[in-house]
């Protein structure tokens, strides 16, 4: 268990220190949310109606942006080889890396969501719903994104291809996340049904993500 | 002859050479008969008029678009589990064919949709799923192009294809769920009217012709890919020999290239 803790701390610190850290993702999130009103007009009623969708798409894009460094930085300095050959289950290594990556980049996005919600004019209950759905759904984005990151790890500029490969996989997450965020009261079935599906997708990602990403990493080792 | 005997590319190429003329003949005959029935025998629809004939291309294309993905997924299992060299080639050959048929299904659907629905595109569940399928195909093709080493590319593609095949089901379900949420009255009825045999027979013929077409194209494309790999191996061998020959003192034997 100790090696997992060490790996988590290492990954978390690296993610925070290299390349601007967590704030750069939040900054990108803010930028995406800011350009929407310029596109659709400063109509607060319209913005409140599509606000949850704006926030979800912003979070999705911000997550995709950070994913290409998930394994690539380790590959460049050679530590990925060491992790593959360390004798630890590579699936667990990937899971720990995803957890650290999400804590460093995904969690700040979730924490920023209530503040950014104010810009699109959401009421209190909508803010709670959007934040809750992102808290549950954003890990699934990272986990499925890890598959794309593992597959494109050997490419020098794999970022765009990674996004193209991951976006189709992220569609169900987006559908159920936005549906739950836009639903009525928090204890009604309108909210609970898509929310449960969202939880299921995260659990699904928890299994498929590390398995597939580890398989891809094993292949791309020279 | 088992599947393992086929793993030898030379033997496979020999088999393709024998089978291919028959397959081409079968495809041409089935297409000719199917198209004749579709254009001259099948009646006009009382509502849709002549545009109903688009269906004879649209439905088989859609069916093949899904079949290609199934082929790709099966080949991916083959290349991951048994490391079957031809499975790699088969998966690579399926992707562009699948993308082409998905495009054909989308295009013929749009052409039919304009006079019938008044729009080239609606965000209907089936259309949306097919658009997502199209993006997945193009992503996989791009991934094939991006990695130079064919063996590595095959494994990486097999992983993303298999993750995709689980996800295709989830995407289909979620898109349908999303669709019923946003527009309760779908344009395509789930329990459509029973199709009369005068249309069903040409449709079946066309479906059969398209399956023949797929097998033909797939085999030809696999053959081309094997040739391409041989050329690549020969080039690498040639490139590694030339400098040794020019120095004229050391004559290194050519390294055994990739298959």
């Amino acid at each position: 268990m100790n090696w997992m803790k060490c790996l988590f701390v290492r990954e978390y610190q690296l993610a925070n220190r290299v390349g601007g850290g967590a704030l750069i993702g939040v900054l990108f999130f803010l930028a995406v949310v800011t350009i929407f009103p310029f596109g659709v007009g400063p109509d607060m009623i319209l913005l409140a109606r599509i606000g949850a969708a704006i926030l979800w798409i912003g979070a999705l894009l911000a997550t995709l942006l950070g994913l290409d460094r998930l394994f690539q930085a380790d590959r460049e300095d050679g530590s990925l080889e060491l992790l593959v050959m360390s004798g630890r289950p590579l699936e667990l290594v990937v899971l720990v890396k995803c957890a650290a990556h999400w804590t460093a980049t995904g969690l700040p996005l979730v924490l920023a969501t209530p503040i950014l919600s104010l810009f699109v004019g959401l009421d209190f209950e909508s803010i709670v719903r959007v934040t809750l759905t992102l808290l549950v759904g954003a890990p699934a984005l990272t986990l499925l994104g890890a598959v794309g990151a593992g597959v494109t790890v050997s490419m020098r500029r794999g970022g765009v291809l990674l996004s193209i490969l991951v976006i189709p996989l992220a569609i169900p997450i987006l559908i159920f996340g936005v549906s739950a965020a836009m639903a009525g009261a928090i204890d009604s079935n309108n909210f609970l049904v898509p929310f449960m599906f969202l939880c299921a997708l995260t659990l699904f990602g928890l299994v498929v993500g590390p398995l597939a990403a580890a398989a891809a990493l094993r292949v791309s080792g020279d | 002859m088992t599947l393992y005997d086929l793993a030898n590319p030379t033997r496979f190429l020999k088999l393709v050479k024998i089978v291919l003329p028959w397959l081409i003949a079968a495809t041409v005959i089935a297409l000719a008969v199917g198209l004749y029935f579709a254009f001259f025998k099948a009646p006009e629809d009382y509502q849709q008029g002549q545009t109903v004939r688009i269906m004879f291309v649209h439905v088989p294309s859609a069916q093949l678009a899904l079949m290609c993905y199934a082929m790709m997924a099966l080949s991916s299992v083959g290349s991951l589990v048994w490391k079957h060299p031809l499975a790699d080639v088969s998966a690579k050959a399926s992707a562009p064919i699948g993308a082409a048929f998905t495009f054909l299904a989308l295009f013929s659907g749009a052409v039919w949709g304009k006079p019938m629905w008044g729009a080239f595109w609606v965000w209907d569940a089936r259309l949306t799923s097919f658009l997502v399928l199209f993006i997945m195909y193009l992503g996989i093709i791009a991934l094939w192009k991006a990695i130079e080493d064919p063996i590595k590319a095959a494994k990486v593609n097999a992983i993303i294809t298999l993750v995709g095949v689980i996800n295709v089901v989830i995407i289909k379900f979620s898109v349908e769920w999303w669709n019923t949420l946003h527009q309760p009255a779908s344009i395509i009825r789930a329990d459509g009217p029973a199709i009369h045999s005068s249309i069903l027979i040409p449709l079946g013929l066309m479906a059969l012709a398209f399956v023949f077409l797929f097998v033909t194209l797939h085999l030809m494309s696999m053959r081309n890919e094997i040739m391409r790999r041989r050329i690549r191996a020969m080039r690498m061998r040639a490139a590694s020999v030339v400098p040794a020959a020019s120095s004229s003192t050391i004559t290194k034997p050519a390294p055994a290239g990739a298959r």
Side-chain angles (χ1 to χ4, degrees), chain B residues 241-250:
Chain B
V241 162
V242 168
S246 64
S247 66
S248 78
T249 44
I250 319 154

Side-chain angles (χ1 to χ4, degrees), chain A residues 36-57:
Chain A
F36 261 92
F38 291 112
V40 300
D43 178 2
M44 266 323 216
I45 298 162
L46 175 68
L47 281 177
R49 215 176 71 218
I50 61 172
I54 293 174
L55 290 167
W56 255 92
I57 289 174

Side-chain angles (χ1 to χ4, degrees), chain A residues 80-95:
Chain A
L80 188 66
E81 300 278 297
L82 291 179
L83 285 173
V84 172
M85 292 188 297
S86 65
R88 318 278 184 207
L90 193 55
E91 287 79 7
L92 266 184
V93 171
V94 171
L95 190 61

Side-chain angles (χ1 to χ4, degrees), chain A residues 75 144 147-148 151-152 154-155 161 164-165 168-169 171-172 175-176 179 193-194 197 201 204 208 212-213 215-216 219-222, chain B residues 80 132 135-136 138-140 142-143 146-147 151-153 155-157 159-160 163-164 166-167 170-171 173-175 177-178 181-182:
Chain A
R75 187 188 153 85
L144 282 180
V147 183
V151 160
T152 56
S154 57
M155 278 167 233
L161 186 54
I164 296 171
L165 291 174
L169 307 182
I171 287 174
I175 287 176
F176 290 119
S179 302
V193 171
F197 274 121
L201 282 175
F204 169 76
V208 170
V219 169
S220 49
D222 301 291
Chain B
L80 272 190
V132 176
I135 296 173
M136 286 170 80
L138 294 188
I140 285 172
L143 190 60
I147 301 176
I151 296 170
K152 206 182 273 184
K155 288 203 176 127
V156 160
N157 262 294
I159 292 166
I160 205 81
V163 172
I166 310 169
N167 252 280
I170 301 178
I171 291 170
F173 167 73
S174 64
V175 165
W177 189 84
W178 162 82
L181 198 72
H182 287 273

Side-chain angles (χ1 to χ4, degrees), chain A residues 110-173:
Chain A
V110 176
L111 295 178
T113 305
I115 302 158
L116 295 185
S117 308
L118 299 176
F119 289 121
V120 290
L122 295 186
D123 56 33
F124 176 72
E125 201 169 328
S126 306
I127 294 177
V128 173
R129 278 200 307 267
V130 173
T131 314
L132 205 60
T133 50
L134 270 177
L135 182 67
V136 172
L141 294 177
T142 303
L143 287 162
L144 282 180
V147 183
V151 160
T152 56
V153 70
S154 57
M155 278 167 233
R156 195 148 291 278
R157 321 187 91 182
V160 180
L161 186 54
L162 186 155
S163 302
I164 296 171
L165 291 174
V166 171
I167 283 177
L169 307 182
I171 287 174
I173 304 169

